[in-house]
Amino acid sequence: MELRRVTPQPPPADAESVTSQSLCEQYESGATVAELVATSGLSYGTVLNRLHEAGTVMRTSWQTRRMRDGQARHNLAARLRRLYEQQGATLTELATAASVTRRAARRLLIEAGGTPRTAQQTLRIRSAANAARRMKLALSLRARYEAGATVPDLAAECSYSVGTVYRLLHQAGTRMRPKHNHGPARAPRKRP
């Protein structure tokens, strides 16, 4: 297991030129607070204050080690890409899954060859998945209805309203029984 080290650079002539944002970017790239202290010439407390000022989400030491380990980082990036592309996860969900910031999750996604989506694209992916689940449920309800179950029974089993069950049955193209006829669906009569 090879750890990547940030090479300390000589401190800048003017410590005030080190911005909170630049410290945040270095930290999110894998630098530790101690390394930022060494490279910036600022005190430990000042570096922490500037990181908090920039809204940086702090890591634990094990998260830093995992992030800096090349193979572990590669595996994490690949896992995040699968979540993003196959399950339609958002960047916020990726950040939560990896215990990193949204920005770091986005960077890992790009490292793995993923392409960030727009919010509209994510909504389309999620609504398509919801539509597929809804159609699967509708077909399941149709099969049970055609086997003789009543709409109120189906509603009680699924914890849906009767109206929702009717909508799902119609969506599945179910041939409805006449009211108060609780047997299996009959074939239509042929006219002479």
Side-chain angles (χ1 to χ4, degrees), residues 66-67 69-89 94 97-98 100 104-115:
R66 184 177 70 180
M67 186 176 192
D69 178 9
Q71 185 59 42
R73 185 177 174 93
H74 174 74
N75 291 343
L76 177 62
R79 183 173 143 253
L80 293 180
R81 182 177 179 189
R82 278 192 306 276
L83 285 172
Y84 193 73
E85 292 177 351
Q86 294 172 6
Q87 297 180 14
L94 294 182
V100 296
R106 185 177 193 279
R107 190 176 300 127
L108 286 166
L109 174 67
I110 292 169
E111 282 177 25
T115 305

Side-chain angles (χ1 to χ4, degrees), residues 11 24 34 88 94 114 120 132 143 169 184:
C24 178
L94 294 182
Q120 191 64 34
L169 289 171

Side-chain angles (χ1 to χ4, degrees), residues 108-158:
L108 286 166
L109 174 67
I110 292 169
E111 282 177 25
T115 305
R117 299 184 297 263
T118 64
Q120 191 64 34
Q121 290 169 321
T122 299
L123 286 174
R124 269 190 243 125
I125 288 171
R126 288 194 165 191
S127 65
N130 288 341
R133 271 195 303 275
R134 191 171 172 89
M135 183 50 88
K136 184 177 178 181
L137 173 63
L139 293 172
S140 166
L141 290 173
R142 176 183 175 172
R144 292 187 0 235
Y145 179 81
E146 289 176 347
T150 65
V151 172
D153 291 341
L154 293 173
E157 286 176 31
C158 298

